[in-house]
Structure formats: C-alpha cells, structure tokens
Amino acid sequence: MSQLGIRKVAVIGSGTMGHGIAEVSAMAGYDVVMVDVSQEILNKALERIRWSLGKFVERGRLSKDDVERIMGRIRTSLSIAEAVRDADIMIEAVPEDINLKKKVFAEADANAPPHAILATNTSSLPITEIAEATRRPDKVVGIHFFNPPPLMPLVEVIKGAKTSDETAKKAYEFAKSLGKEPIMVNRDVPGFIVNRILIALNSGVCLMAADGTYSVVEIDSATKYRAGLPMGIFELQDFTGIDVGYMVGLAVALRDPLLRVPCPLIEDLYKKGWLGQKSGRGFYEYKEGTYSRANIPREAGEKVDLVKVFAPAVNMAAWLLREGIATRDDIDKGVKLGLGWPKGVFEYADEFGIDNIVKALNELHAKYNYDLFKPDPLLEQMVKEGRLGQKSGRGFYEYGPGATVEFKEIILKKEPPLAWIILNRPMRLNTLTMTMMEEISKALDMLWDDKDVRVVIFRGAGDRAFSAGADVTAFAGPLHTYYFYISNRKFQEVVSKIERFPKPTIAAIDGYALGGGLELALACDFRIATDRSELGQPEINLGIIPGAGGTQRLIRYVGLGRAKELIMLGDRIKAEEAYRIGLVNRVVPKEKFEEEVRSFAMKLAQGPPIALTYAKYAINFGTQVPTDIGLMLEAAFFSMATTTKDAQEGVLAFLNRRKPEFKGE
Ligand code: COA
C-alpha cells in the first residue's frame, strides 16, 4: 500500500504490547494478523483493542464507523507460519525469553516471503542474538514501542550487528507511518537508550537512598517538583512494578558490567513481595481498590542535590553519544517522549553545568566505586574546552551569541530564551539612581520585541543585595518640590514599564530588597528570594514614604493591613515571612538559587508567549478597573489568545499526548 512496500503486518503475541501494536498498525490502515497460542487469548486481545478504540471515540478522535473499519482490518491466527506467509513485516511481542523469541524468529524466517522484515519489540534482549535464529539477519531489527503503544509516541528502532541500513530505515519509516516518533539506536546495547538512561538514574539514587544520604521521599519530591519529572523516581518504579524493575535490572546486569550496580532496596522489596502499586505496597503504601497516588510532599526535597541525582543519567547519555549509538537530539527526544521529562537529559546537563556534573560524578565514584559513575571522557573534554553548558554559552547545545551589553549601572545579559538585567552598583548595595532607571528603560526597549527572549529576570550584582532602594544621597540638600515631583514620576514610569513589559518578568532577590528595590521587584510578575533575603519599605525611618508604587502595588500582594504595617513601621522582614504573607512566590536556599530561578524562568519560557502576554495584561490592567470592564478585557484577550497558532498547537499536542512547542505565532 505505502511507498514503503508494506501492506500486511503480522503481530506475534497479543499481550499488553502485542495487542497495542496490532491496534496502532490497524489504525494506520495496515492489514493486521495477530497471533497467539489460543483463540481465547486472541479474543480477549480483540476486546481490549475495541475498548481502547472506544476511548478514542469518547475523546472525539475516532468515529464509530472508524472503529468498525479498524477492527475489520485485524485478523487472528494460531499459526505463525500461516500468519507470516504473505506478511511484509512481522513484529514479535512474546514474553522476554530469548529462546522463545529465537523459536518465533526461526519459524517466521522459514515461512515469510524473502523481502519481509522481522522485527522484535524486545526491551531488553540483544537483537543480534535473536537475528542469529534466522537466515536473514540483515532484515532483523528492533522496533521497541512504549507502553501503551496507542498513547506513547516514542519508538526506538534498534539495529543489530547485521541489520542493514535499508532495513533500519524502513523500520523507522514504518514507525513514522504509524504516527509515532521514532529514534534510531545504532547498536543493540542493553536497555537501548531510554531504559539505559533510566537505569543509570535509578542506580545512583538507589545507592543514595540505601545509605541514607537522602530518603526516598526527599529524592522523589526533588525530582518531581524541582526537576519537573512526571513522577518521582521511586514512585515510577512502584508504578511499573518492583518485580519488572528487578528482572530488567538482572537481565541488563548480566550482559553489561557497567550496569552491574545492585540496588539493595529493590531487592529487599522484591523478596518481601512488595511489588509496588499493584500489590498495595512498594516504596510507598497504596490504598486498595482505588487508584491512589504516593504521598510526596512538595517541600520534602529541598536539600537534595539535583546535580548528583541526574549526573549518572547524564554520564550514560554522554556515553551513548560518544559511542555513536544515538544522536544528541534523539537521546533528548527519547527521554522527553519515553519518560515524559520536561527537558532532555542534555538540556538538564547544560543547565546544571558540565563542570558540576563531572564534580558530582567524581564524588559518587569516590563514594560508591562503580564504573557507572566514572565521568565519561566526553564530559571531561567538554570541561577542558570550557563547554560548560548554558553559563558558558555552549555545552551540548549552543546558547546564541549570549550578548552582554554593559551600561554604566546595569548589565544586560542575553541568554536566549532568557535575558538578565543586573543592577550593577554592588558597592552601594545596587541602590537605584536616575541613571540606572534610564538604563533599565533602555534595556526593556531592547528586549521589548526581541523574539529570542521570552522571559526577563532582574537581579543584583555582588552578594549583598538585590537593591537597598533609591540612593538617598540624591535626596540630600534643598530641592524644588515640583522638580522633585516630576523626577519621581519619571522614576515611577520606569517601574510601571516593567509591569507593562509584554513578557514575564522575575525579580531574583538575594540579600536586601528594600524601598525602591522592593518596589521594582513588586512590578515584576514573580519574586523568588533566597532564604537569607530581607525585604521591606523602610522609607518611613527617613521621614519619607515609598515613591515608586509601594503604596499601591504592595496592597495587591499583602492586603491593606500588612501593607500599612510594612510602610508605617518600616521594619525589614525575612524572606520566610515575606513568603508567608504573599510578598514573594518562592523562598529557596542560597545554594539552589540560580538553579531554581532558571528552572522557573525556563518553565515560563516554554509557555505560549502570546497567551502569557495576554494573561499578564488581563491581570495587571484588570485589577485597576471595575470588574465588568476587567471581564470585558479578559474576554477580548481570551478570544485573541484562542485564535493564535499556538492555541491550535496546544490543543493538538494535548490530543496527541505530546509536549506542545509554542512559537509565539
Ligand atoms: N542610599 C545610598 N546609600 C546606601 C543606601 C541607600 N538607600 N543603602 C545603603 N547604602 C550604602 C551605605 O551608606 C554604605 O555606604 P558606605 O560603604 O559608603 O558607608 C553601603 O551602602 C553599605 O551599606 P551599610 O549600611 O554599611 O550596610 P549594612 O549591612 O550595615 O546595612 C542596610 C545594610 C541596607 C540595612 C542599610 O544600609 C540600610 O538600611 N540602608 C537604607 C535602606 C533604605 O532606607 N532604603 C530606602 C531608601 S528610599
């Protein structure tokens, strides 16, 4: 049927994976024959396919007629020989037993036409060895679907030692024709790409949890809430099954010394029969019957060093890349689509800093002495060459020109998709002068419609203050009230310009944020402060009052009572207190400040730029007008957002269960 020359697909095995593969093949228009050992099993598989197609109907992705057409394309058979006789491709999905697989392949080889590709859906066995059971090893290939095939977009296409390029390419195109996102794996290393990286990640945290460096909950909270993984690392193991993890661990360790890192915790759970969610208990306890989720508090992971957690996964990814097993983009695509990570493993690495990754690996290696933690030569070379990731403008990825513009009193650093405006008078605690305000205004103009920049972050230079407020030396001496008034208005204009700036802004506060410094931060959309920071409106102590929006914006965040207290008592408050009353969005330990600010900003940067502008404007301007007019504003922005290309992309990505890519169109 297709240019690929594939019309008929034989799926051997109708279990969890087999029936799903049959379903997606039939959905893509192929004629499918599904084989298993009894008609009863096959009937059950057909029922499961019908149920799954029904779910697509519920979501409006298929019509009832489509379901009948798709079901009509699926035939069942009890004989491999008969099923493959006129097949163009076979996909084997029988249990992970090498001898069983070899038997299937030998029989298929003897009966399938010479042109037919024989593929295996194995997740852990060597393609090369399976191919040895046939006389056509050049036509044997791995096509590894993720569970459940109808929903998971990722497919790993794996070459065995003798797989021809033509076969691999055809398998790749076939996966694409199913609407999947294939990645190419050039050698059948145990675990291929995704599981290999996952095993490396699991191995490191397992040792750390076993020796009490961190607890299971701490690690899960950090990976889930701070790193943004869809589940905690241990939570995921409970979900897939402790027995599954244990068996896969044994299988890969057998074949690959690098992966021979025993996990005492898993072994212990396995022996106790605590197999995770399905048995009501694994790393966590689950209520019976209903689908219950592990209890992982959001704050539990604050002290976890994420660099150490991710370093083994980065090390493995670097190894895969250096060995030519997969490309950078395919590896990152693999973890994003296969594991649901918000960022690729190399993107995390660039964010953490390659030097920090190497340092963490050396520490892990010194402590646990497994080769898995020995820094890969590629990482060491990158450090030598100064390719440290985002901070040096180049790591696994390039980060634009990283233009830095030095004004007199601020620095503008562009690091697409982020830009930093650094208040640069560290010796005077970054106090605000008219020159500085004019420069901020210029910097905002430069960034206003710069398509590369999606989020702007304000921070202070030096290590003492975000800003200690207006430079009071300017207030000394007699001043004409009128001229003082209009210069204050000018000051206010710049602060308001931050509020009107079309992209999200963040004030990254480390140290003092006082007076005008706090007022500037209040005009930003978000405030993230280190735990040692102190905030306040101390003007009253000088016999004056706030002049850059303090009497207006502060109220919106903390209410009248608190605002009056801050302004009329003039006391400084600590970051924790500021968080409690809603003045800052996050309080983070100093060591994690940079990382937290970046990840917060990157999350915003991945959002739909146009909708973010509209949301910001609807909120900022809506609060200034009567509710009816605010609602009218909201409706106008709502309709404007809904008719963007990004909105189409958002809905499409949701339906296809992939991550949207917003372009600001
Ligand atoms: N304007 C001008 N200079 C300021 C300043 C301001 N708002 N805030 C601090 N500085 C100067 C200090 O005079 C000092 O200068 P010096 O080294 O030449 O003496 C320098 O910055 C460091 O400040 P210092 O007071 O020595 O540090 P500290 O750690 O003891 O105290 C603060 C820090 C922020 C608590 C204290 O400087 C302060 O209260 N500043 C005033 C804050 C304020 O009222 N802001 C609102 C202005 S409208």
Side-chain angles (χ1 to χ4, degrees), residues 197 200-201 204 307-317 361 364 372-373:
I197 290 172
L201 181 79
V307 181
K308 243 187 204 146
V309 169
F310 277 85
V314 173
N315 207 30
M316 180 57 78
L361 285 167
L364 289 168
L372 182 66
F373 306 132

Side-chain angles (χ1 to χ4, degrees), residues 305-455:
D305 179 358
L306 278 178
V307 181
K308 243 187 204 146
V309 169
F310 277 85
V314 173
N315 207 30
M316 180 57 78
W319 180 85
L320 288 164
L321 182 63
R322 186 175 50 80
E323 291 276 327
I325 295 165
T327 64
R328 175 196 72 181
D329 291 351
D330 271 4
I331 293 172
D332 269 359
K333 185 162 145 187
V335 299
K336 285 197 243 184
L337 298 181
L339 301 173
W341 288 13
K343 280 174 269 195
V345 58
F346 292 128
E347 289 175 293
Y348 275 111
D350 277 356
E351 222 175 282
F352 291 139
I354 310 302
D355 48 346
N356 295 330
I357 296 277
V358 169
K359 187 165 156 266
L361 285 167
N362 280 325
E363 283 169 19
L364 289 168
H365 189 238
K367 191 161 181 195
Y368 301 116
N369 200 24
Y370 288 109
D371 282 353
L372 182 66
F373 306 132
K374 213 152 92 197
D376 190 86
L378 173 61
L379 297 175
E380 288 185 318
Q381 177 162 356
M382 287 172 75
V383 173
K384 235 186 259 154
E385 291 171 0
R387 282 167 57 196
L388 305 181
Q390 281 187 3
K391 62 183 164 194
S392 71
R394 204 170 150 224
F396 286 102
Y397 293 87
E398 303 263 339
Y399 296 87
T404 300
V405 189
E406 293 233 18
F407 293 80
K408 272 216 296 279
E409 298 189 351
I410 66 162
I411 298 171
L412 166 60
K413 215 167 102 193
K414 253 179 70 176
E415 221 182 74
L418 311 181
W420 302 76
I421 293 180
I422 304 165
L423 313 178
N424 191 27
R425 297 180 77 218
M427 301 307 287
R428 310 294 299 176
L429 303 184
N430 304 318
T431 41
L432 311 172
T433 64
M434 202 41 96
T435 306
M436 190 188 272
M437 297 312 279
E438 281 165 2
E439 291 181 355
I440 290 175
S441 176
K442 265 189 217 142
L444 290 174
D445 284 337
M446 289 165 72
L447 299 171
W448 199 273
D449 46 7
D450 181 333
K451 282 218 162 60
D452 292 340
V453 172
R454 291 199 178 179
V455 177

Side-chain angles (χ1 to χ4, degrees), residues 87-151:
D88 303 303
I89 185 168
M90 171 199 83
I91 305 172
E92 162 277 314
V94 303
E96 293 284 278
D97 168 343
I98 188 85
N99 293 321
L100 178 60
K101 296 212 184 237
K102 281 180 162 177
K103 240 179 90 200
V104 170
F105 272 74
E107 189 172 353
D109 182 41
N111 293 284
H115 75 273
I117 288 180
L118 306 181
T120 170
N121 178 55
T122 183
S123 59
S124 60
L125 299 171
I127 315 299
T128 307
E129 202 180 325
I130 295 172
E132 277 165 15
T134 73
R135 281 160 302 156
R136 63 176 99 188
D138 61 313
K139 293 206 169 60
V140 176
V141 66
I143 302 186
H144 178 218
F145 289 82
F146 284 69
N147 189 18
L151 296 182

Side-chain angles (χ1 to χ4, degrees), residues 427-429 431 464 468-473 475 512 514-515 538-539 542 544 572:
M427 301 307 287
R428 310 294 299 176
L429 303 184
T431 41
R464 296 196 57 205
D471 189 328
V472 293
T473 55
F475 306 160
Y512 295 114
L514 303 173
E539 291 87 346
L542 302 172
I544 59 175
R572 297 197 297 268

Side-chain angles (χ1 to χ4, degrees), residues 224-245:
K224 191 165 167 168
Y225 297 112
R226 285 177 45 215
L229 305 193
M231 281 190 187
I233 300 179
F234 295 102
E235 186 188 12
L236 177 62
Q237 298 189 56
D238 268 2
F239 182 75
T240 40
I242 299 296
D243 48 338
V244 175

Side-chain angles (χ1 to χ4, degrees), residues 1 73 77 96 131 142 184 207 236 292 331 385 426 432 466 524 534 550 582 585 601 615-616 637 659:
M1 75 173 291
R73 290 190 199 113
S77 168
E96 293 284 278
M184 190 61 94
L207 293 172
L236 177 62
S292 81
I331 293 172
E385 291 171 0
L432 311 172
F466 174 75
C524 293
E534 293 188 22
N585 299 74
K616 170 173 176 164
F637 282 128
K659 211 173 147 243

